[in-house]
Amino acid sequence: MKKDEIFEKLFKEAKRILRNSYAPYSNFHVGASLITGSGKIYSGTNVENASYGLSMCAERIAIFKAVNNGEKDIDTLLIYTETETFTPPCGACRQVMAEFNSEMKIYLVNMYGEYKEFSLTELFPWNFKL
Ligand code: THU
C-alpha cells in the first residue's frame, strides 16, 4: 500500500472511532488508529474513569486490540485530535509502542487534517528493553 493511501485509511478510521471517546472528565477526545505489517487496521479512543488514574489512552487501546487479535507487527500509528495543535503520545504509550516496534511510524493529525510525521526512534530513543 502506498504511503498516502495508508495515511488516508488511518485518518478516516481515527475520525470514525473518535466518536466513541469516553472523556467526560478532561473533555479531551483522542482517536488512534494503526496498521499492521499484514495490512490490518485497529483503532481506539481514550476511556476515562471517575478514579482518574484508571483512565486509558487511545494509543494503548488500539495497540492492545491489535495484539489481542494476534497482530504484533505494528507498522504505523496515527493520533488524531480535534485541536489546533498536534497531540504527541504520552511517555507510557511510547514505552508500549516500543515493545512492538521501536521504529514505528507515527502521524500526529490536527483538526485541519494537517499532520506531522515521526519515527518512534525520534520520539523515544534509548528505550527500555529486557
Ligand atoms: N490521552 C490520550 O488518549 N492519548 C494521548 O496521547 C494523550 C492523552 C488522553 C488521556 C486522557 O483521557 C486525556 O487524553 C487527557 O489527558
Side-chain angles (χ1 to χ4, degrees), residues 21-32 44-49 52 55-60 79 81 87-91 93 97 108:
S21 162
Y22 178 73
Y25 305 105
S26 72
N27 282 314
F28 190 76
H29 301 279
V30 184
T45 71
N46 51 335
V47 178
E48 297 186 345
N49 192 275
Y52 296 169
S55 301
M56 181 52 64
C57 293
E59 297 91 319
R60 270 178 285 167
I79 304 165
T81 49
T87 299
C90 78
C93 288
M97 289 172 186
L108 312 181

Side-chain angles (χ1 to χ4, degrees), residues 75-125:
D75 183 75
T76 306
L77 186 145
L78 181 147
I79 304 165
Y80 173 61
T81 49
E82 283 178 333
T83 53
E84 293 200 340
T85 55
F86 299 96
T87 299
C90 78
C93 288
R94 294 179 199 204
Q95 178 67 32
V96 171
M97 289 172 186
E99 180 75 19
F100 299 106
N101 178 4
S102 54
E103 294 176 4
M104 194 177 296
K105 277 171 251 139
I106 298 165
Y107 288 115
L108 312 181
V109 189
N110 70 5
M111 64 190 291
Y112 305 117
E114 297 164 338
Y115 71 89
K116 283 190 186 295
E117 187 182 347
F118 297 95
S119 163
L120 188 56
T121 50
E122 295 172 78
L123 298 183
F124 200 53

